[in-house]
Amino acid sequence: MSVEESALRSKISKDGETGDLTDGFHLLIDAFQKNGLNNIYGVPGIPITDFGRLAQAAGMRVLSFRHEQHAGNAAAIAGYLTGKPGLCLTVSAPGFLNGLTALANATTNCFPMILLSGSSEREIVDLQQGDYEEMDQLAIAKPLCKAAYRVLHAEDIGIAVARAIRSAVSGRPGGVYLDLPAKLFGQVMDAEKGHRSLVQVIDPAPRQLPGPDAIERALTVLKDAKRPLIILGKGAAYAQVDDTVKEFVEKSGVPYLPMSMAKGLLPDNHPQSAGAARSLALLKSDVVVMIGARLNWLLSHGKGKGWGEAGSKKFIQVDIDPKEMDSNVEIAAPVVGDIGSCLQAMIDGMGVGWSAPPSDWTTALNEKRDGNLAKMKQRLGSDTKPMDYHTALGALKEIIADRPDAILVNEGANTLDFARSIIDMYKPRKRIDVGTWGIMGIGMGAAVAAAVETNHPVLAVEGDSAFGFSGMEIETICRYNLPVCIVVFNNNGIYRGTDVNPTGGDDVAPTVFVKDIRYDKMMEAFGGIGENATTRDELTEAVTKAMDSGKPTLVNAVIDETSGTESGRIGNLNPQSVVKRS
Ligand code: ADP
Ligand code: MG
């Protein structure tokens, strides 16, 4: 015991306390464990190295990454999959900033997470006297997350953690920042008093019931519809009320479209799925029921050519956030509340004998869907050499169909857009992708969290460019021996590998990588399994083996470098110059 510690101990004893001590490190760990938060994703360093060690010693799972952004993405996906805030732990200033990208992304996607960052001494930061990694992190985090708090005193840790948990998961979920100055960790206090200061959060995400008038209004609009459509978003998947969603869709008889991370909430081969008739469904529907999905860019803001004539549709929107209503178009029937309560109230309101939508509408959609699926089926059976996207994804589609519990992580441009429509999902929350921002770099963080939180095998289907953002985390995957199979769709570059430098200079074009990279060799360097696949059969064999063995594997899938298109399916968002300069 140090001199200061024994002095403190005797002082506490005089005050009539137990004499046992605790400190900031232990209180923080106790606060998380009291609330059932047992996994931390982070990168060690000053001033949180010992915190990670002590957390591990206390039985928490502490997963160390190579870069904070990926630890943060892992925490966000842990939050999405479990409904509890995922924890990300970083060092001060630069580590904090690296984690902040993930925190902002989590908030944008409505994923609950808490970014815990060590920080420098307040007195020095506030006077800007140049401390080690000095930065006013709290001020910087604030506009990029749902809530941000700083804890200065050990006795406030319990309340701070409770506030952070509630802020992350209640209402619309999102990211929370918790600023932890270095001095906090070592602050000592009486153990018994410290124990009493901890809070177990009761009902962290309380149900929010919709008003009966809102339900009645929504059902009136739905009843009058001639061509109704349901759009399921990842908010509906997050809510973990899978049976209620299924019951609502099936009782209503309304065709539905899943947004990409809502795929599998109902199986993609469900008879009411209009996934393969998406354009027709959006164009011709007269009433659209949005369930945990936003009318943002991913749905062309609910207006424009693809949606038919302006004013030709009525929207019913089910969402926990009242501010979401009328964000892009008029919402005829806002239903504000948690998805479980809202859908249950609608199911109850439909009573017995609710009639299915007119059959000319459902028949038209089904015919379109079946026609498109038949055409697609032919292409997916192809065996082109070198592989194009359809050949390679046709193989992976079969592997997922045989393993509906596997989690699919997916990012890239063409690799993302093709995989989203080609690979069917059969169970809720099995597809994790680039989300609301269409961000690159979520891949390995998401793969780690998916494996750690669910223990199911993970298949990460990655564009070669997308993979590069988080590729170093394959060491993390090998270190923890996670059941992750990564398939890199290697087409030698971004969009395509064929661009040339128009000046004829030595530099290659900005979208082009080193030709014929062997990403599989990287995996071998870390002790994982590397495979090179140049044909459909080789790909099927390598991925099947990996998924069945659960061994960390990277398959370098050689894709025809001419087969991609600019920006995948969102080329319209990528401005291109028409001016020719000599
Ligand atoms: P997608 O990208 O699939 O369209 P979004 O992230 O755009 O999904 O939309 C998710 C929506 O779900 C957000 O508007 C969010 O407020 C809402 N949401 C999240 N959780 C719940 C919940 N438990 N109940 C109701 N709405 C929710
Ligand atoms: Mg590429």
Side-chain angles (χ1 to χ4, degrees):
M1 201 183 304
S2 71
V3 179
E4 298 94 279
E5 216 173 295
S6 61
L8 219 136
R9 204 175 255 238
S10 60
K11 180 190 169 299
I12 288 169
S13 304
K14 264 187 260 155
D15 292 345
E17 304 285 359
T18 62
D20 286 338
L21 295 178
T22 187
D23 60 13
F25 288 109
H26 291 89
L27 284 167
L28 208 49
I29 293 161
D30 293 346
F32 290 135
Q33 288 190 319
K34 196 176 173 97
N35 286 288
L37 302 180
N38 285 309
N39 295 337
I40 299 182
Y41 302 89
V43 177
I46 297 172
I48 46 88
T49 314
D50 224 25
F51 177 74
R53 287 194 190 106
L54 292 166
Q56 186 175 57
M60 292 184 82
R61 189 148 193 215
V62 183
L63 295 126
S64 280
F65 282 66
R66 306 300 292 256
H67 188 287
E68 292 86 353
Q69 190 178 119
H70 313 308
N73 286 330
I77 290 307
Y80 171 69
L81 292 173
T82 64
K84 292 178 187 172
L87 303 180
C88 175
L89 178 66
T90 82
V91 304
S92 32
F96 154 78
L97 287 173
N98 289 343
L100 195 56
T101 305
L103 186 71
N105 185 50
T107 307
T108 301
N109 280 281
C110 318
F111 299 154
M113 75 173 272
I114 303 173
L115 176 66
L116 312 156
S117 294
S119 60
S120 317
E121 296 321 327
R122 289 309 323 154
E123 296 80 353
I124 305 179
V125 173
D126 290 346
L127 272 173
Q128 298 177 30
Q129 293 174 311
D131 205 358
Y132 167 74
E133 296 190 349
E134 174 182 302
M135 176 174 274
D136 189 356
Q137 297 169 196
L138 184 71
I140 291 165
K142 245 178 211 168
L144 294 171
C145 60
K146 224 182 133 183
Y149 308 109
R150 175 183 293 133
V151 201
L152 289 174
H153 304 294
E155 65 252 39
D156 293 332
I157 284 174
I159 286 294
V161 168
R163 297 209 74 189
I165 292 173
R166 258 190 209 290
S167 299
V169 298
S170 62
R172 171 181 277 180
V176 175
Y177 175 61
L178 210 50
D179 193 69
L180 308 169
K183 265 190 209 160
L184 174 77
F185 293 98
Q187 275 180 33
V188 176
M189 71 182 285
D190 176 72
E192 180 54 33
K193 221 167 136 187
H195 182 71
R196 284 199 307 269
S197 72
L198 299 181
V199 176
Q200 185 173 359
V201 182
I202 314 284
D203 196 11
R207 287 194 304 153
Q208 291 181 220
L209 304 185
D213 51 334
I215 296 297
E216 207 183 303
R217 190 184 301 117
L219 289 176
T220 306
V221 173
L222 186 58
K223 201 171 207 138
D224 288 345
K226 303 269 178 304
R227 296 178 305 282
L229 175 70
I230 290 170
I231 296 182
L232 300 172
K234 63 181 175 299
Y238 169 79
Q240 299 209 19
V241 288
D242 309 333
D243 292 344
T244 314
V245 173
K246 182 170 186 281
E247 189 182 347
F248 174 74
V249 172
E250 290 181 348
K251 185 165 183 179
S252 72
V254 174
Y256 73 91
L257 289 178
M259 299 299 289
S260 78
M261 283 178 62
K263 275 166 69 78
L265 188 44
L266 281 90
D268 278 332
N269 56 359
H270 189 281
Q272 282 169 256
S273 170
R278 182 186 164 92
S279 304
L280 181 68
L282 292 177
L283 185 69
K284 298 282 183 185
S285 50
D286 65 346
V287 168
V288 179
V289 191
M290 307 289 300
I291 303 177
R294 286 173 284 185
L295 284 166
N296 54 20
W297 70 279
L298 288 156
L299 285 167
S300 335
H301 308 280
K303 51 199 172 191
K305 262 204 337 235
W307 284 92
E309 227 170 282
S312 65
K313 285 189 203 335
K314 285 187 171 162
F315 287 93
I316 299 167
Q317 184 159 24
V318 180
D319 203 287
I320 204 154
D321 186 354
K323 292 200 305 294
E324 190 55 39
M325 306 299 155
D326 306 321
S327 60
N328 286 273
V329 295
E330 180 186 281
I331 301 300
V335 182
V336 175
D338 71 272
I339 285 172
S341 301
C342 292
L343 293 188
Q344 191 56 56
M346 287 176 71
I347 291 165
D348 296 345
M350 286 154 85
V352 279
W354 178 270
S355 45
S359 64
D360 54 346
W361 170 237
T362 48
T363 308
L365 283 180
N366 290 348
E367 279 174 7
K368 183 80 189 161
R369 175 194 66 197
D370 296 342
N372 284 346
L373 288 177
K375 263 186 264 167
M376 183 61 108
K377 197 166 177 192
Q378 270 186 349
R379 290 198 69 189
L380 293 178
S382 65
D383 191 10
T384 56
K385 294 183 181 91
M387 290 188 283
D388 64 10
Y389 286 93
H390 287 86
T391 298
L393 288 167
L396 299 182
K397 176 190 172 91
E398 288 172 17
I399 290 172
I400 289 289
D402 290 341
R403 294 166 186 77
D405 280 315
I407 297 192
L408 179 72
V409 171
N410 187 201
E411 62 177 334
N414 291 283
T415 306
L416 175 84
D417 288 339
F418 284 118
R420 189 198 305 114
S421 54
I422 290 173
I423 301 182
D424 284 339
M425 307 307 298
Y426 304 91
K427 293 193 176 182
R429 294 171 297 283
K430 299 296 186 195
R431 185 185 156 86
I432 299 165
D433 65 27
V434 302
T436 305
W437 263 347
I439 198 172
M440 291 301 120
I442 52 95
M444 297 306 102
V448 170
V452 166
E453 301 290 336
T454 71
N455 289 318
H456 289 304
V458 177
L459 177 63
V461 178
E462 302 271 315
D464 52 351
S465 160
F467 172 70
F469 288 76
S470 65
M472 190 64 195
E473 301 299 345
I474 60 176
E475 191 274 329
T476 309
I477 289 167
C478 290
R479 191 169 4 113
Y480 295 106
N481 195 24
L482 298 173
V484 175
C485 172
I486 302 142
V487 179
V488 177
F489 275 47
N490 187 354
N491 66 347
N492 290 342
I494 300 172
Y495 312 137
R496 279 178 304 259
T498 51
D499 273 11
V500 287
N501 179 345
T503 70
D506 287 340
D507 287 351
V508 297
T511 53
V512 162
F513 297 148
V514 168
K515 293 260 185 239
D516 306 324
I517 294 172
R518 290 288 301 273
Y519 292 99
D520 49 315
K521 303 268 185 202
M522 285 174 71
M523 198 65 167
E524 287 174 355
F526 301 122
I529 294 173
E531 304 268 13
N532 189 47
T534 57
T535 65
R536 181 174 180 136
D537 286 346
E538 285 172 6
L539 181 62
T540 300
E541 195 187 320
V543 177
T544 303
K545 202 167 85 193
M547 296 299 280
D548 292 344
S549 72
K551 289 189 184 141
T553 302
L554 190 153
V555 182
N556 182 59
V558 180
I559 303 291
D560 181 354
E561 66 173 4
T562 64
S563 76
T565 60
E566 183 93 1
S567 308
R569 273 187 214 154
I570 51 172
N572 60 313
L573 299 179
N574 205 359
Q576 295 191 340
S577 173
V578 291
V579 177
K580 294 262 178 288
R581 288 199 306 199
S582 53

